[in-house]
């Protein structure tokens, strides 16, 4: 469990950066070379490579060198960890709200005169 949390922390930290999220969005559409990935960003190629290295180190992106071109693609298995974590939290809170609804539905109606007035 702790290893999973460390991986999740690394993924979330990497995706906290808007440039890296934009790169993931582009790579979600199709794999791209580093230069294709860098095209829409107004930064040096070296800066783009650093972002890719962060994404690769947390497992969000897989790169493969083909000749002189480094190809990047999204690692959907790693990103699924974030989705799973979010879904678990959502299920937990949905259960809490469902329990609250059940409790509120079981309470007798309170006449309007005796309800506490909002300040």
């Amino acid at each position: 469990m702790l290893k999973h949390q460390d991986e999740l922390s690394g993924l979330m930290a990497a995706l906290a950066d808007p440039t890296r999220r934009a790169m993931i969005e582009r790579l979600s559409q199709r794999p791209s070379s580093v230069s294709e990935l860098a095209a829409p960003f107004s930064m040096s190629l070296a800066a783009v490579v650093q972002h890719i290295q962060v994404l690769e180190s947390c497992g969000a992106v897989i790169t493969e060198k083909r000749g002189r071109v480094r190809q990047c693609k999204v690692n959907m298995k790693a990103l699924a960890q974030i989705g799973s974590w979010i879904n678990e939290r959502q299920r937990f809170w949905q259960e809490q709200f469902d329990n609250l609804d059940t409790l509120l539905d079981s309470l007798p109606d309170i006449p309007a005169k005796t309800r506490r007035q909002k300040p």
Side-chain angles (χ1 to χ4, degrees):
M1 183 68 163
L2 187 58
K3 184 177 185 233
H4 174 72
Q5 290 296 330
D6 288 345
E7 290 172 2
L8 191 61
S9 295
L11 281 165
M12 288 185 167
L15 295 176
D17 184 275
T19 300
R20 291 193 281 270
R21 285 194 310 271
M23 289 178 173
I24 292 292
E25 284 293 322
R26 294 202 57 213
L27 290 171
S28 295
Q29 295 170 11
R30 68 178 181 84
S32 301
S33 69
V34 172
S35 57
E36 289 172 334
L37 196 55
F41 299 104
S42 58
M43 63 178 73
S44 70
L45 192 57
V48 170
V49 168
Q50 286 180 335
H51 281 293
I52 292 169
Q53 287 172 339
V54 170
L55 290 169
E56 190 174 25
S57 70
C58 73
V61 167
I62 298 168
T63 64
E64 180 183 322
K65 191 153 185 170
R66 295 182 185 158
R68 293 177 35 178
V69 177
R70 181 158 296 279
Q71 201 67 14
C72 305
K73 67 179 181 178
V74 172
N75 180 2
M76 294 307 292
K77 185 176 178 182
L79 294 182
Q81 291 178 9
I82 293 174
S84 176
W85 185 85
I86 290 170
N87 288 338
E88 288 171 18
R89 305 291 83 63
Q90 185 178 15
R91 272 193 300 276
F92 170 80
W93 284 108
Q94 190 59 53
E95 281 182 30
Q96 300 306 306
F97 290 132
D98 290 346
N99 291 341
L100 180 59
D101 282 343
T102 301
L103 174 66
L104 293 175
D105 288 344
S106 72
L107 294 176
D109 288 338
I110 301 171
K113 288 186 202 177
T114 59
R115 286 189 190 146
R116 181 173 170 228
Q117 299 296 318
K118 293 182 181 178

